Amino acid sequence: MAITWRTVVLVLLGLAPVAVWPSGATVRWWLLAVVLLVALDVLLASRPSALSIVRSGPMQVRLGESTTSSLWVTNTSGRGVRGLLRDAWQPSAGAQDAVHDLTVPPHERVRLTTHFTPTRRGDRRADRVTVRILGPLRLAARQRSLPVPGSFRALHAFPSRRHLPSRLAVLRQLDGRAAVRTRGQGTEFDSLREYVEGDDVRSIDWRATARRQHLVVRTWQPEQHRRVVIVLDTSRTSAGRIGDAPRLDAAMDAALLLTALAGHARDRVQVIAGDRVVHARISGTDRARLLHDTISTLAPVESRLVEADWRALATEVVRLGTHRALVVLITSLESSAIEEGLLPVLPALAAHHRVVVASVSDPALEVMTGARTSTSEVYDAAAAERTVALRRRTASALEQLGVDVLDAAPDDLPVRLADHYLMLKRQGLL
């Protein structure tokens, strides 16, 4: 049961008779009358069990965009229902206008819509629906909370997708140039065509020439269906916040751009996200669904406050296949985590694969190193310089093992990783 503001006003109106007949009996009789009116109002109110509530809503929405979820409320009784309804969700679902005025005529159905603008990626779930049905006097109401399950998945915003068209144009240019002129490591046979003046005579296919009675040359293209394995570190180092988002979100952005680019290049992309255990695996050859599956699968993955087990992650990479691949490890260049966890397993991994370590750097370090106007800022600058020096030392240790290291700010890392992939394609190093 719940009372409304009208009950409070009714109690305060009792001050008038008390002023006329100032006695304890007047107060008691007035309060008794109020209690009887409230009890009568509760008895005359419709039961919440007379309502049937069904939810319909979206399955997925991109982070930062808005969506809606609807509740269909059916009145199964012969009396009208008037009151309030609250559709409760997790705070990070960003529910707006979640409290609705409820008016349902007898044996009819109404639709109540709640708008959402999620503030965090992942699965956002509904808690319960609370119904408050007012009595005819609107002094009190019957209230009940009903479980009405519902959820939607807030996908990664993928802000680096704006760079995809320009990188695809570079990829198409690379494929077109290689299909005409290039032959060597990192290329494969594409097709046959007639010889034209200026073609390399070493590209003449003499068997095809004998069959067709005119000169025929072979054309080449960059090797396709190469393996690209992306390992996303979800350990404690990925939980650090850079700006308003955790480091893991920036790492996912870089992984998604590389996945989209390599998928269009017809390479076989496999994504692993894990720390001590693997939390997500994405592998597919369908280019049309690869990016969508990757975004959807990585959406609920969160950082965990544990150390990464790089031996287990390296074993997972080997289990995916023994053929040479481009292995991209997206992790933090934190010296202690790298030296104790990643460095011991890198030599064996780099001996069989092309390894790239990509790390998200914090732009605040550059700001701290430049601000030295006060004593506290000088100490901050010294700490920032030490952090930068340790990252450089760690990167140098990785490069000595033949590993390519990319260390960039959240907005720059996806582009640098995509350009590095195109450079390897161009030079036939995959």
Side-chain angles (χ1 to χ4, degrees), residues 150-173:
S151 67
F152 66 89
R153 178 163 290 184
L155 305 177
H156 193 279
F158 191 16
S160 65
R161 67 182 182 276
R162 66 183 183 274
H163 300 293
L164 186 58
S166 61
R167 270 57 195 180
L168 290 178
V170 174
L171 182 63
R172 286 191 294 268
Q173 182 182 10

Side-chain angles (χ1 to χ4, degrees), residues 169-185:
V170 174
L171 182 63
R172 286 191 294 268
Q173 182 182 10
L174 175 63
D175 289 345
R177 181 174 65 251
V180 176
R181 299 286 186 185
T182 306
R183 179 186 180 183
Q185 183 180 6

